[in-house]
Amino acid sequence: MAPQRFREQYDQIQRSMPDVPLAVGPDDAGEFLYEKGVVLARDGEEARLVEDAVRRHFTTFAGLTADHVRRTSPETNRSGITRIRVADPGQGDGSGDPAVAGALRALREPEGRTGRRLVSRNHVVSIAVNACPGDEPVPVEAGAQPNPAVADGAHTPAGAVGVLVIDTGLMNDYRSYPLLAHTRGDAQVEECGDDGILRQYCGHGTFIAGLVAAVAPNTDITVRGTLNDAGAILESEFGEKLFEAVDQGGWPDILSLSAGTSNGRTDGLLGVDAFMRELRQQRTLLVACAGNNSSATPFWPAAYADLPGFENAVLSIGALRGDGEFGACFSNHGAWVKAYAPGERLTSALTGFDTPVPYVYQHSTYDACRYGFGYACTCRHPRHAGVLSEEGGSGKPDQVMFEGLAQWSGTSFATPVAVGMVAAHMTARAETDPRAARQQLMDANSEVAEVRGANVPALIPATWSPTPVALPSART
C-alpha cells in the first residue's frame, strides 16, 4: 500500500463530502475510510439493542456521553440500516475514531446472541481510495483504436443483453462516440471545474460503458451516476441507491460495479446486506471489481463471490497486466477473486468532447512500483508530476489534453471486459440466463495467467491486443 497516495485520495474524498467527517481504518492502517462518530445496525430490534448496549458501555469510551448516543436517521428504509451516533464526529483528527472502535468492541459478543454481527463502521464505498482506478488516464495518439477492439456484431434492440453500470454518470457528448449511440443513463454531474480543467475520475462511467460495448456490441447499456464526482458514497446510502438503480429499469441481465471497499471482515457489508440477499433471489449476475490494494484482503461487494449462496450470483474480477500473462501489480488477489481480465492500459472513450479538454494530474508517478513489482507498471509510466504530490514543492503538475479516447488501468476496467465477455456469450449462444452464461463461459475457458504463483482463470477477449511488458520481474 502507498500511504502517500492513500492520503492524497483521502483528502480528495473528504473535500467531496464536506459535511461528513471521515477517519482512516483500521487504526490508521490505511485500508478503508469510514464516517466518524457513527455505527450502523439493522433496523428494529437490533438497532435498539445496539443503542442500549452502547449506552450501558459509554463510560468506557473517551469523550463519549449518554447524550451522544442517538439515532440520526429514520429507523426503517429498504436497505434495513440505521445510523447510530456514538460520539461527536468533530472531535479528533482523521487518523481513527476511538468511540467507534469502542462501540465495535462492546458489541463484539452481544448478550444472548452468537454468530451474528450487530454493528459496523459506516464505510466509504469508492472508486478512488486504493480501489478503482489504479492510475489516472493517459491520452492516446490521434487515430488510436479501442483496445479491446470492437468485436463483430450489431446492436439489435430485440435481442440485446441488458447491462446496468453503477458508477459516475455519462459525459455530455458521449453519443458522439459511435459505440455508445444506444447507451442511456444519468449525466455526469460536473465535468470540469471553474478553471475549465476536467475533474479527476470524470469519465469513469463513460470509459466503462465503452469497454462493454466494444467487447459485446449487442448490449443495451444503462449508466447510473450513483457515485459522486469523487467516485464515493457512504455505505449507509449505497444499499438504498442500488435498490433505486434497479427500480428505475428493472433488474438487468448483468450489473457491472467498479467500486467497493474492504472492511477488515469476511462476512460482507452490513449496508448492502439487504440488496445482496435480494440479488440472490433474482436472475441478475453481479460482476464486481476486486480492487486495487495489491492485497488479499476481501474487497466488497466483489468478495461476496466467495460466500455461500452467492457463488452463481457474483463474479469477482481482478486485473491482468499488459501482456496478459501475470496479475497487474495493483490488483487484489486471493481465493475470493474468481477470474482475471486485462486491466492495464486499456483504451476506451474518456469523453465525448469534439474539442480537446485539459486535464491536470493529481498524483505523481513513482520511481519504483509502489507495490514492489519490478516491471514497468502504471505506478512508474508514463512519467508525470501531480498537483497533490507536488504541493509545497518546486515542481509543476503536468497538464495533458483529451479529445475522446484514453488509456486507463484498474480492476475498474477489467470488470467491464468480463461483463462484455459474458454478454457476448449470451448473444452467441442465445442464452437468456446470465448466471448460466457465466458458468458456461468459465467452464469453456482454457486461458490461465499466473498471480502470486498460482494459475488463475483469465478471461481474455479475442479482440484484445496485449502490450509488451518491460523489465519483467520474478515477483508476480
Side-chain angles (χ1 to χ4, degrees):
M1 186 139 328
Q4 176 190 1
R5 180 158 183 178
F6 183 90
R7 283 294 177 180
E8 291 171 359
Q9 292 180 318
Y10 166 83
D11 291 342
Q12 287 179 288
I13 287 183
Q14 181 64 88
R15 284 194 292 270
S16 77
M17 298 179 170
D19 299 324
V20 182
L22 299 178
V24 177
D27 302 322
D28 201 26
E31 290 186 13
F32 52 76
L33 302 181
Y34 64 97
E35 183 181 13
K36 290 177 62 180
V38 169
V39 296
L40 301 182
R42 295 177 181 87
D43 289 339
E45 178 188 355
E46 292 191 7
R48 289 190 291 273
L49 176 65
V50 169
E51 189 173 19
D52 291 345
V54 172
R55 284 184 183 278
R56 287 198 303 272
H57 293 280
F58 74 88
T59 54
T60 65
F61 309 153
L64 181 61
T65 69
D67 289 339
H68 284 137
V69 183
R70 61 179 184 274
R71 303 175 198 177
T72 58
S73 64
E75 291 188 27
T76 58
N77 54 65
R78 192 170 177 185
S79 65
I81 293 300
T82 292
R83 293 170 66 254
I84 298 177
R85 182 179 171 187
V86 297
D88 180 358
Q91 293 183 348
D93 57 23
S95 61
D97 190 330
V100 168
L104 296 176
R105 287 193 297 271
L107 291 159
R108 185 168 293 168
E109 295 180 359
E111 299 169 5
R113 294 174 181 265
T114 59
R116 182 173 171 89
R117 175 175 44 145
L118 294 186
V119 68
S120 164
R121 293 179 175 90
N122 191 13
H123 301 89
V124 175
V125 177
S126 170
I127 66 171
V129 173
N130 286 314
C132 306
D135 64 356
E136 294 184 76
V138 178
V140 297
E141 297 179 358
Q145 298 300 306
N147 188 22
V150 182
D152 292 335
H155 181 269
T156 55
V161 177
V163 174
L164 174 61
V165 176
I166 302 294
D167 210 86
T168 61
L170 290 160
M171 300 296 284
N172 176 50
D173 294 335
Y174 70 92
R175 281 197 174 93
S176 66
Y177 185 57
L179 274 181
L180 297 181
H182 303 285
T183 300
R184 58 186 179 273
D186 301 329
Q188 180 82 31
V189 175
E190 189 174 10
E191 297 178 355
C192 297
D194 295 337
D195 54 5
I197 302 295
L198 197 65
R199 289 191 175 277
Q200 191 184 28
Y201 307 125
C202 191
H204 192 263
T206 303
F207 196 95
I208 286 169
L211 289 169
V212 174
V215 178
N218 195 29
T219 46
D220 277 335
I221 303 171
T222 302
V223 179
R224 291 295 169 212
T226 302
L227 307 175
N228 69 20
D229 284 347
I233 188 172
L234 287 173
E235 179 183 341
S236 58
E237 302 171 7
F238 190 47
E240 195 74 15
K241 291 293 186 181
L242 288 172
F243 276 121
E244 290 177 6
V246 298
D247 285 347
Q248 289 185 63
W251 287 85
D253 293 314
I254 306 173
L255 196 161
S256 179
L257 179 62
S258 292
T261 182
S262 59
N263 65 351
R265 298 186 59 92
T266 59
D267 57 354
L269 289 177
L270 200 60
V272 300
D273 181 63
F275 179 83
M276 295 303 296
R277 284 188 281 110
E278 179 67 22
L279 170 74
R280 190 166 52 186
Q281 303 306 314
Q282 301 293 330
R283 59 185 292 277
T284 296
L285 173 67
L286 170 61
V287 184
C289 73
N292 299 340
N293 299 0
S294 193
S295 168
T297 300
F299 187 81
W300 307 99
Y304 276 93
D306 211 36
L307 296 186
F310 291 96
E311 302 92 337
N312 297 322
V314 182
L315 177 59
S316 49
I317 300 295
L320 299 175
R321 73 184 192 185
D323 60 5
E325 296 181 7
F326 298 93
C329 71
F330 50 77
S331 182
N332 282 351
H333 52 90
W336 57 273
V337 184
K338 300 306 178 182
Y340 293 74
E344 242 186 18
R345 300 186 178 98
L346 302 182
T347 303
S348 183
L350 179 69
T351 78
F353 289 105
D354 295 323
T355 56
V357 182
Y359 178 85
V360 174
Y361 284 105
Q362 301 295 305
H363 309 290
S364 297
T365 44
Y366 290 70
D367 293 331
C369 176
R370 57 192 170 119
Y371 300 114
F373 285 64
Y375 76 100
C377 65
T378 55
C379 301
R380 300 167 56 191
H381 300 284
R383 300 292 296 172
H384 58 258
V387 62
L388 296 176
S389 305
E390 295 299 313
E391 189 173 344
S394 58
K396 182 179 180 181
D398 291 334
Q399 178 174 305
V400 295
M401 303 296 288
F402 287 105
E403 48 181 335
L405 299 183
Q407 284 187 347
W408 217 344
S409 304
T411 58
S412 265
F413 311 125
T415 295
V417 171
V419 167
M421 291 191 69
V422 175
H425 181 92
M426 293 178 68
T427 299
R429 302 291 181 90
E431 175 62 68
T432 59
D433 183 343
R435 298 183 183 180
R438 175 253 193 205
Q439 191 60 52
Q440 293 162 11
L441 179 66
M442 295 291 289
D443 289 345
N445 179 61
S446 60
E447 296 282 354
V448 295
E450 185 177 328
V451 176
R452 311 282 174 154
N455 289 331
V456 299
L459 297 178
I460 299 179
T463 59
W464 175 70
S465 298
T467 56
V469 172
L471 303 175
S473 172
R475 175 183 173 184
T476 53

